[in-house]
Amino acid sequence: MTVSQARANRLRPEASPNRVDKARRLAWLIIEATLYRWSPTPLHRWRCVLLRLFGAEMGSEAHPYPSARIRAPWNLVMGPRSCLGPRVICYSVGKIRLGADAIVSQGAHLCAATHDHRDPAFTLLVGDIDIEAGAWVAADAFIGPGVRIGERAVVGARAVVMKDVAAETVVVGNPARVVGEQGA
């Protein structure tokens, strides 16, 4: 099985949202646009409380910034001391998990869904994103659905990652390519 086949196997069709899903999403949009977004930057604990109220799993000392956009907090897991930096887009149609000490820098886009462009119904496909402990996703990087970023891996600024990144690997570019290893 190729890497692209393995990634494709991690994508699954998403069911259409029901009324409860739509109501929960609307409630979150209101809270996010007011109490979350308008909170002062140092109030990470306050934002963690709001995210927990909507089903997120938040580790101790997690740092979600007020300008980070989170589509569905019930699909977000932030490990201890992890960070969603300023202006991060967290399109959490599928689960997005950040391990302990993982950092997602300003303007990065975590996109846990895509569409099957070959299907006339344009089916929504969902794939969980895992950013493991100590990994760093640098500024303006894009992480696609079904991708795993290994422990202590580095995704360079503006990189586009559509395949898994091995632990302690440094990737850059579009498409992302390996340019080194941590500590090497």
Side-chain angles (χ1 to χ4, degrees), residues 108-125:
H109 191 143
L110 309 177
C111 183
T114 188
H115 289 276
D116 184 351
H117 65 279
R118 296 166 300 219
D119 179 359
F122 207 52
T123 305
L124 183 65
L125 300 174

Side-chain angles (χ1 to χ4, degrees), residues 5-27:
Q5 287 171 326
R7 185 179 158 275
N9 289 341
R10 287 186 240 161
L11 299 180
R12 61 194 181 278
E14 179 70 6
S16 297
N18 59 32
R19 282 184 162 159
V20 173
D21 293 333
K22 289 178 182 178
R24 179 169 60 166
R25 176 90 176 105
L26 178 61

Side-chain angles (χ1 to χ4, degrees), residues 20-170:
V20 173
D21 293 333
K22 289 178 182 178
R24 179 169 60 166
R25 176 90 176 105
L26 178 61
W28 170 245
L29 283 172
I30 292 166
I31 296 301
E32 182 187 40
T34 56
L35 299 175
Y36 184 93
R37 189 167 285 284
W38 291 358
S39 62
T41 300
L43 295 184
H44 299 295
R45 284 186 183 176
W46 166 249
R47 288 184 294 280
C48 285
V49 167
L50 293 174
L51 288 164
R52 279 188 193 105
L53 286 172
F54 280 85
E57 295 176 40
M58 305 300 291
S60 62
E61 299 180 54
H63 284 78
Y65 275 71
S67 58
R69 300 294 310 263
I70 300 161
R71 183 191 186 279
W74 45 91
N75 285 332
L76 177 64
V77 177
M78 289 184 72
R81 299 167 308 283
S82 62
C83 177
L84 281 178
R87 301 180 328 281
V88 166
I89 297 172
C90 197
Y91 189 61
S92 51
V93 177
K95 284 280 190 187
I96 294 180
R97 299 175 195 91
L98 277 67
D101 303 304
I103 297 171
V104 180
S105 292
Q106 65 273 12
H109 191 143
L110 309 177
C111 183
T114 188
H115 289 276
D116 184 351
H117 65 279
R118 296 166 300 219
D119 179 359
F122 207 52
T123 305
L124 183 65
L125 300 174
V126 175
D128 299 344
I129 294 173
D130 289 295
I131 300 172
E132 295 185 354
W136 175 31
V137 176
D140 294 318
F142 178 90
I143 310 299
V147 170
R148 182 186 70 76
I149 307 296
E151 283 191 35
R152 292 184 27 81
V154 176
V155 175
R158 299 227 166 167
V160 175
V161 181
M162 299 302 290
K163 297 178 181 176
D164 290 353
V165 176
E168 305 219 0
T169 301
V170 179

